[in-house]
Every structure is written in C-alpha cells, then in structure tokens.
Amino acid sequence: MNGKLSIVMSGIRPTGYLHLGNYFGAVRNYVKMQEEFECFFMVADLHSLTTHPDTKELKLNVQRVLAENVACGLDPDKVALYCQSHVHETAELYLYLNMLAYKGELEKTVTFKDKARQHPDNVNAGLLTYPVLQTADIILHRAIYVPVGKDQEQHLEMARNFVQRFNHRYGEIFPEPQAFNFGEELIKVPSLDGAGKMSKSENQYATLYLSDDDEMIRKKVMKAKTDSGPTEPNSAKPDYIANIFQLMQLVSSPDTIQQFEADYDNCRIRYGDMKKQLAEDMVQFIAPIREKAESIRTDEKYLRELMEKGEEKARQSARSTIELVREAIGLNYY
Ligand code: TRP
C-alpha cells in the first residue's frame, strides 16, 4: 500500500442482509474510494457482541457480509478488508482510550440511549463504550476519512474529542477523523411502500435485498403503491410515485426513464408497465451481485484467504500505531 495516500476507514456491522439502501448509500462509496485512497474496511464483529451476545450465527453473518461487499466490487487486493476481532491491537487501543472517555458523555450518546431503551436487561459496559471502540477502529490506522451515514456523526464527533484528549495528554499522534462521502448528498433509496427509505428494520416487503431472487424482486416491485394516474397534464407527483421514478433513476436507462416521465406528463402512464420495467431492471442489477455473493459465500477457502490477507494488512498498520502509542504514553520500559 502507498503510504502517501490519505487513509480511509469504515466499519460494517455483520447483522442483517445488505439491501439496495446499503449499496447506494455506503458500499458504492467504498468501491469508489478504493481507487483513490488507502482503505481499511472492517467487519465490526466485536461491536456486534454489545447487542448480540448469542454468537450462533456470527460466523455465517461475517462470511455473508464479506461476500456481499466483495460481490459489490470491493477488491481485497486494493483495500484491507478484515475482521475486527482478528486485529488485537484494536482491543489494546480501546483500553487506553477508555481512560480518556467519561461516563457522562458516554451516557449522553444517542445510540447508547436508544439501545439501552431497546434492551433494558442488557445495558452492558461494552454498549456504553461502543463509541470508544469505534474510535479505536478508526485511529488505529490514523485514518482521516470515514465514510458513514448521518447516524454516525455523533460517534465521529466523540472520536475527535478522544483524539484531542489523547494528543493533548500524550503528544500529537493522531489526526482528527471526519465523515467523508465525496461531497455529495448521501443517496437515500426510498422504500417500496412509499414510506421512508429502505432499511432492514422497516417492512421487509418494501426493501430490496441483494440476496432476493428474481421472483421475489418482481413480487416486491409489483406491490409498490400506485394510483390510477394523473388526470391533469404536468401534475406534481405524489411521494409514492416520485419514489418509483427515483428507484428507476438508480437502475434503468435514461431512455426508459425519459419515456415514463413523458407518459406521466401527458397522463398516459400505465403504472403496471412501469413497475414491470423497473422490476426487470432491478433483476438485471441485483442478479449478478447475488450470484457472485453466493459463490463467494460458499467458498470457505477463498474466504479464509481473504480474511488472512486483510488481517495481515490491517495488523501491519496497527502495529506501527500501537508502537507510537505505547511510547507516547510511557509504556516503553526497555
Ligand atoms: N458503528 C458503525 C455502524 O453502526 C459501525 C462501525 C464500527 C464503524 N466501527 C467503525 C463505522 C469505524 C466507521 C468507522 O454502522
């Protein structure tokens, strides 16, 4: 890897299946970044223990999320794609940072309060210090850019605070990380029921997963909400219709979109035809990713080599940071 490039780091939770929202909102950005930056992408298996103590499905979930990201275009030869638990230096840095994180600020974190409310019987210290572990992930590679969504902004602000405290107390070791998404507004992928965006916690039928088979994709798209069509030329589109056009923007050809726009404007649109077209374009888009992910997911040898390669790259970077950190803190006794 080229040490002169800016460093990018992000974490991917190994819970749930990737959907179209994840693809356009996150993974596509990672794939773009791998061409321009030195990238570390990590499967946050340790973070998942804060809310998912039952690990029966962990291995399968980790394998799947790795396979899906590679199928979307992440190249394990261009980036360091690794598992958090394989890079033990993370845990060491997490411990040091825990001495710089205050109970009061951790208790005020929005994600902590939400999770504590959802699981009142398991408000563990790992959950409280989740943002500290996330900071360790990022600064372990002295990364400056972190491609994440809005929901992670508070964690990044905390990371900057921890970095400032560390640097102030022990010396300037770490740069301050910031969210980064190519300066564009993050693309929101609307859900198929006209309410909100695609997400794994919402209506499963309104979200298209990269693992959905062709029939499932068709079924979901055909169920999208429509009405009997506009009665006045050039009318404004109701939200649920605008959403269908927006989904078309993601996967259909400009000609196709133009044709349906024109049909809409002169009140000749047939939503059944439009949804059929969208369904076929979605199938064309998702099927190759699904098939590639499936073949990777079931190739234990490939996955093992992939994880080893990622671990090797990540630990090399981690070891050099930890060496600086130990020295800065004063833990170098000989
Ligand atoms: N907390 C992030 C999420 O919920 C996942 C994550 C873990 C992460 N470590 C990270 C994101 C480091 C960016 C950088 O999606």
Side-chain angles (χ1 to χ4, degrees), residues 7-238:
I7 299 174
V8 167
M9 194 278 149
S10 198
I12 307 162
R13 268 174 305 175
T15 46
Y17 290 74
L18 278 194
H19 52 71
L20 220 57
N22 300 130
Y23 179 84
F24 286 104
V27 188
R28 206 175 52 154
N29 263 332
Y30 303 163
V31 174
K32 236 158 106 187
M33 284 179 178
Q34 73 185 352
E35 306 300 336
E36 293 178 41
F37 301 105
E38 179 174 349
C39 295
F40 295 87
F41 295 114
M42 173 276 287
V43 177
D45 53 355
L46 298 177
H47 271 118
S48 79
L49 297 176
T50 63
T51 46
H52 294 70
D54 179 352
T55 53
K56 267 201 300 296
E57 288 174 13
L58 187 57
K59 181 176 173 182
L60 276 178
N61 288 336
V62 167
Q63 290 178 330
R64 195 181 57 229
V65 83
L66 285 168
E68 286 185 327
N69 277 276
V70 173
C72 289
L74 259 203
D75 181 345
D77 288 318
K78 289 188 181 152
V79 305
L81 178 59
Y82 65 98
C83 296
Q84 192 178 28
S85 62
H86 287 160
V87 180
H88 307 157
E89 289 80 359
T90 308
E92 184 175 341
L93 186 52
Y94 169 57
L95 184 145
Y96 301 141
L97 292 174
N98 269 327
M99 316 304 175
L100 300 169
Y102 299 110
K103 176 170 165 280
E105 66 187 332
L106 296 170
E107 281 170 344
K108 272 193 281 182
T109 316
V110 174
T111 48
F112 171 71
K113 289 195 286 189
D114 285 349
K115 287 175 190 163
R117 209 174 307 123
Q118 287 159 15
H119 310 272
D121 52 335
N122 186 22
V123 184
N124 60 75
L127 197 61
L128 184 67
T129 56
Y130 184 113
V132 183
L133 181 55
Q134 182 163 346
T135 303
D137 295 332
I138 298 167
I139 71 176
L140 189 59
H141 305 297
R142 284 167 278 164
I144 55 171
Y145 295 138
V146 187
V148 284
K150 267 216 147 5
D151 64 320
Q152 295 296 308
E153 238 145 57
Q154 190 180 26
H155 289 170
L156 279 189
E157 198 182 311
M158 295 172 82
R160 286 190 290 274
N161 287 334
F162 300 146
V163 161
Q164 281 166 14
R165 279 177 220 160
F166 186 98
N167 287 347
H168 181 71
R169 188 167 300 174
Y170 299 118
E172 293 283 328
I173 303 254
F174 296 113
E176 289 181 27
Q178 63 184 77
F180 179 83
N181 285 296
F182 283 106
E184 298 164 20
E185 264 296 290
L186 276 185
I187 296 182
K188 293 212 170 64
V189 179
S191 83
L192 289 162
D193 58 8
K197 52 180 184 142
M198 283 193 189
S199 89
K200 56 191 167 203
S201 49
E202 302 294 320
N203 180 0
Q204 301 283 300
Y205 250 100
T207 295
L208 291 170
Y209 289 90
L210 299 179
S211 51
D212 283 344
D213 66 31
D214 294 353
E215 273 324 292
M216 181 61 90
I217 296 168
R218 294 192 180 102
K219 251 206 297 223
K220 287 181 175 177
V221 172
M222 294 315 287
K223 274 177 71 114
K225 177 177 173 181
T226 55
D227 53 30
S228 53
T231 50
E232 299 273 327
N234 305 313
S235 332
K237 298 184 184 97

